[in-house]
């Protein structure tokens, strides 16, 4: 079972979601009530097909069978609610997140406060968004002060500063994070920092830079879930680039062949 989970994660690292899901199906045949595997299977399906139904079905099953275990899948629940532009469900998911990260991918960890800011911005509640992002910044700044040369923490700080409209500071932090974590020396962390800087650039209003970084991020050795077809197509992280022909072309190029799935509306 553990080996199959590791195989599934290894496939995901290189963007092979179909193979990853197949490995998880084999794992679930052995331990069908594994909440973590059910959650990841649904999440990977979303990233692959831009379809929130499988992960939300897994969430519903967890809530029905073992509601106390929902914290394990709360970040997936939150992400899917954002993808569906469903603020009421996103609020419920944030409660389930508790003090944990609203989203994490390897070394990139986005706090619950960050998630609250993202949700508030999606619902155009700018006052709440600013308060939440300021809280997220205070938390993240403390982490950066403790580890000033740790690129991933600085990368997240840059993303938060972009959310707060501190454009130049955000871009400076993002670039320094990349310089501190070169892909050539640190494949995993370097890939993530490079990839998330694309979001920072987009939020800072630097559309061309964001598109350049997005393409660079897609070429990085380790695939990012946040740069998957599902994430690019549906998540609000990428809203500043929507409608741009170059961005839309990139999104469509990542669509699985014969993809008939669409997000749940």
């Amino acid at each position: 079972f553990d080996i199959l989970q590791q195989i599934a994660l290894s496939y995901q690292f290189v963007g092979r979601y179909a193979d990853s899901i197949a490995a998880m199906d084999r794992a679930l045949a052995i331990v069908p009530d594994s909440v973590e595997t059910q959650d990841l299977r649904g999440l990977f399906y979303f990233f692959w097909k831009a379809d929130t139904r499988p992960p939300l079905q897994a969430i519903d099953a967890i809530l029905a069978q073992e509601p106390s275990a929902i914290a394990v899948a709360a970040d997936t629940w939150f992400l899917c609610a954002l993808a569906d532009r469903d603020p009421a469900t996103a609020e419920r998911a944030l409660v389930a997140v508790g003090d944990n990260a609203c989203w994490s991918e390897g070394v990139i960890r986005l706090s619950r406060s960050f998630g609250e800011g993202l949700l508030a911005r999606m619902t155009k509640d700018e006052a709440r968004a600013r308060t939440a992002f300021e809280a997220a910044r205070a938390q993240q700044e403390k982490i950066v002060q403790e580890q000033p040369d740790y690129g991933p923490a600085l990368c997240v700080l840059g993303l938060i500063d972009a959310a707060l409209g501190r454009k130049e500071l955000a871009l400076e932090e993002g670039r320094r994070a990349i310089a501190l974590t070169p892909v050539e020396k640190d494949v995993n962390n370097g890939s993530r920092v490079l990839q998330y800087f694309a979001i920072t650039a987009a939020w800072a209003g630097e559309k061309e830079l964001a598109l350049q970084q997005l393409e660079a991020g897609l070429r990085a050795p380790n695939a990012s879930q946040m740069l998957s077809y599902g994430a690019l197509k549906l998540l609000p992280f990428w809203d500043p680039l929507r409608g741009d022909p170059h961005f839309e072309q990139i999104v469509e190029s990542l669509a699985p062949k014969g993809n008939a799935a669409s997000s749940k509306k």
Side-chain angles (χ1 to χ4, degrees):
F1 175 77
D2 291 340
I3 292 171
L4 285 168
Q5 280 193 316
Q6 287 304 313
I7 290 170
L9 291 172
S10 297
Y11 279 133
Q12 179 269 314
F13 267 126
V14 291
R16 291 172 59 179
Y17 288 107
D19 292 325
S20 181
I21 289 167
M24 285 190 180
D25 285 341
R26 289 169 63 196
L28 285 168
I30 299 168
V31 185
D33 58 351
S34 169
V35 171
E36 184 179 354
T37 308
Q38 290 172 20
D39 169 48
L40 281 177
R41 186 196 183 281
L43 182 64
F44 287 1
Y45 197 95
F46 163 69
F47 289 135
W48 178 33
K49 293 273 194 177
D51 186 353
T52 60
R53 287 170 295 187
L56 288 174
Q57 285 165 4
I59 297 291
D60 287 344
I62 294 166
L63 288 170
Q65 296 163 16
E66 198 177 348
S68 62
I70 193 59
V72 172
D75 54 350
T76 297
W77 194 14
F78 180 64
L79 212 66
C80 288
L82 292 180
D84 283 343
R85 312 294 161 138
D86 181 350
T89 298
E91 293 283 7
R92 286 183 66 203
L94 269 184
V95 171
V97 164
D99 293 329
N100 298 317
C102 76
W103 173 248
S104 60
E105 185 178 5
V107 290
I108 302 295
R109 291 181 58 81
L110 305 179
S111 68
R112 185 194 184 282
S113 296
F114 183 99
E116 187 177 350
L118 194 60
L119 171 58
R121 187 146 288 168
M122 189 178 81
T123 58
K124 297 184 169 39
D125 185 344
E126 196 51 43
R128 183 188 178 194
R130 186 152 201 93
T131 299
F133 281 128
E134 289 284 9
R137 191 187 197 284
Q139 296 162 4
Q140 194 64 25
E141 190 173 31
K142 192 177 295 184
I143 295 169
V144 170
Q145 286 171 349
E146 290 169 358
Q147 300 174 285
D149 294 326
Y150 184 54
L154 194 60
C155 171
V156 173
L157 186 64
L159 186 55
I160 296 168
D161 276 327
L164 287 166
R166 297 166 181 160
K167 173 182 172 178
E168 296 306 325
L169 182 59
L171 294 173
E172 179 186 326
E173 288 161 342
R175 289 187 173 110
R176 182 158 182 267
I178 291 172
L180 286 168
T181 325
V183 175
E184 297 79 13
K185 293 184 179 179
D186 188 340
V187 170
N188 292 341
N189 296 350
S191 293
R192 291 292 165 270
V193 168
L194 183 72
Q195 289 153 342
Y196 277 77
F197 183 53
I199 302 172
T200 299
W203 286 13
E206 292 290 333
K207 191 175 288 188
E208 285 306 312
L209 176 62
L211 290 167
Q212 289 168 14
Q213 288 299 134
L214 173 55
E215 290 186 318
L218 288 167
R219 292 192 301 269
N222 277 0
S224 168
Q225 295 167 355
M226 200 51 71
L227 272 65
S228 66
Y229 173 64
L232 289 169
K233 189 170 180 66
L234 296 178
L235 290 180
F237 288 90
W238 300 104
D239 282 359
L241 300 181
R242 298 210 185 281
D244 180 273
H246 188 180
F247 176 73
E248 300 300 341
Q249 187 178 26
I250 291 171
V251 174
E252 286 312 306
S253 74
L254 296 172
K257 289 180 173 60
N259 183 41
S262 61
S263 67
K264 189 179 78 173
K265 300 296 181 188

